[in-house]
Amino acid sequence: MADHSSSVFSQIARAPEDPILGVTVAYNKDSDPSKLNLGVGAYRTEEGNPLVLNVVRQAEQKLVNDPSRVKEYLPIVGLADFNKGSAKLIFGADSPAIQENRVATVQCLSGTGSLRVGGEFLAKHYYEKTVYIPSPTWGNHPKIFTLAGLSVKTYRYYDPATRGLDFQGLLEDLGNAPTGAIVLLHACAHNPTGVDPTLDQWEQIRKLMRSKGLLPFFDSAYQGFASGSLDADAQSVRMFVADGGECFAAQSYAKNMGLYGERVGALSIVCKTADVASRVESQLKLVIRPMYSSPPLHGASIVATILKDSNLYNEWTVELKAMADRIISMRKQLLEALQARGTPGDWTHIIKQIGMFTFTGLNAEQVAFMTREHHIYMTSDGRISMAGLSSKTVPHLADAMHAAVTRVA
């Protein structure tokens, strides 16, 4: 008889909490009324609440009111209008790559899914199996590409001394990368540092990468959310498409449409010819089919509805700019609060960095002190989500940062 007292899985060790999502778990267990969660990358209103965009509510209402809508499976590559609209959004409506049918776009499960499908496609069909990711980068990047079957290496990106870009280190490391290596680039609002190259620096990166035959793989999680302008935030990607070369772009609508839980994203591969793009798409289907068969319908329908309707689209750009502007305003308020307290050090990097996150420069001991003494929750690398701040909570954060910097080495 089988022994039911011990599980066949009893040897399994408990996995550690995800370093980012674990912050929220700890925050939820804290009963202090002054607690503040600056860990998770999700937008909050000035009142600290999640936001569903008005334009998303309108699009959903339109969908609900359409009696012809059914719940049939989407094709493997996803919703056609969504794919078309997504490619136009990132590459520009007048992009020659789109006009010449050189882009293969597939709907994926948000940014993570787009990266994973792209990684698995490369592991199967590309001759160079090494991907270079910036140091530091989003914690999921190395896991996604490793599990997809690629070898992961890093290139220098952030300079702790200046709390800015280590541009020379970046150029040196990419210059030493093997010909054909894949390079992951954050399209804008680098996570976790908030440090982006200037347009001149992007042009130097492009020239170097093209001269060495390196393959760009853009992760675009914040288009429009960083500067408030959809076009400005896509400039880096468009520079690489304009030279006629090939590149990958993973898009997410989690942040810029607030569709976090809908898991809506796209992977686009810009190819040299329409024939290659069509063959690439046929192979992407073979990656997707055994992974999740076909993508979900609802979130992609919301996005397609907004992108196709000029009134909804224009309203979206206004709401998007309002979110970006609120985050920029939080940066200014935090800097002013630290300066008013005479907090030691130069904190101007807070307003120089862009997007949802600020890399404060606080060390793990200072972060632990702020959590323990002030009930402020953030990742141990000192990254804070500016979107989790409000005018009411800035003083609390500034007090905690001042105490941490003056009392903890």
Side-chain angles (χ1 to χ4, degrees), residues 161-279:
T162 63
R163 294 176 187 171
L165 185 66
D166 181 0
F167 189 52
Q168 287 319 118
L170 180 153
L171 292 179
E172 208 172 286
D173 289 349
L174 294 187
N176 291 329
T179 301
I182 307 151
V183 179
L184 181 88
L185 301 160
H186 295 232
C188 66
H190 180 273
N191 175 6
T193 69
V195 173
D196 285 353
T198 63
L199 284 179
D200 283 348
Q201 288 172 330
W202 271 121
E203 178 56 17
Q204 287 182 65
I205 294 167
R206 185 195 67 78
K207 280 185 176 151
L208 171 67
M209 286 183 62
R210 292 308 195 198
S211 72
K212 284 191 59 79
L214 302 175
L215 181 64
F217 194 145
F218 282 97
D219 185 356
S220 175
Y222 300 96
Q223 188 184 350
F225 197 92
S227 68
S229 161
L230 287 157
D231 289 325
D233 290 349
Q235 279 177 295
S236 60
V237 181
R238 292 176 189 178
M239 286 164 77
F240 279 79
V241 177
D243 67 14
E246 295 177 306
C247 72
F248 282 53
Q251 285 168 275
S252 163
Y253 289 94
K255 304 337 190 251
N256 60 12
M257 277 195 195
L259 296 174
Y260 305 94
E262 299 291 356
R263 312 309 295 138
V264 201
L267 171 71
S268 288
I269 303 179
V270 178
C271 306
K272 283 281 193 187
T273 67
D275 175 54
V276 171
S278 148
R279 283 184 277 145

Side-chain angles (χ1 to χ4, degrees), residues 19 23 36-40 358 360 362-363 366-368 370-371 376-385 397 401:
V23 171
L36 183 57
N37 186 1
L38 301 176
V40 176
T358 287
T360 56
L362 296 166
N363 62 39
Q366 290 167 332
V367 170
M370 286 170 61
T371 302
I376 291 174
Y377 291 81
M378 55 208 259
T379 50
S380 60
D381 57 7
R383 182 194 86 163
I384 59 172
S385 172
L397 175 61
M401 287 174 71

Side-chain angles (χ1 to χ4, degrees), residues 348-371:
T348 52
H349 61 282
I350 292 171
I351 56 166
K352 288 178 191 158
Q353 294 170 6
I354 193 168
M356 189 171 270
F357 302 108
T358 287
F359 221 43
T360 56
L362 296 166
N363 62 39
E365 289 76 22
Q366 290 167 332
V367 170
F369 167 85
M370 286 170 61
T371 302

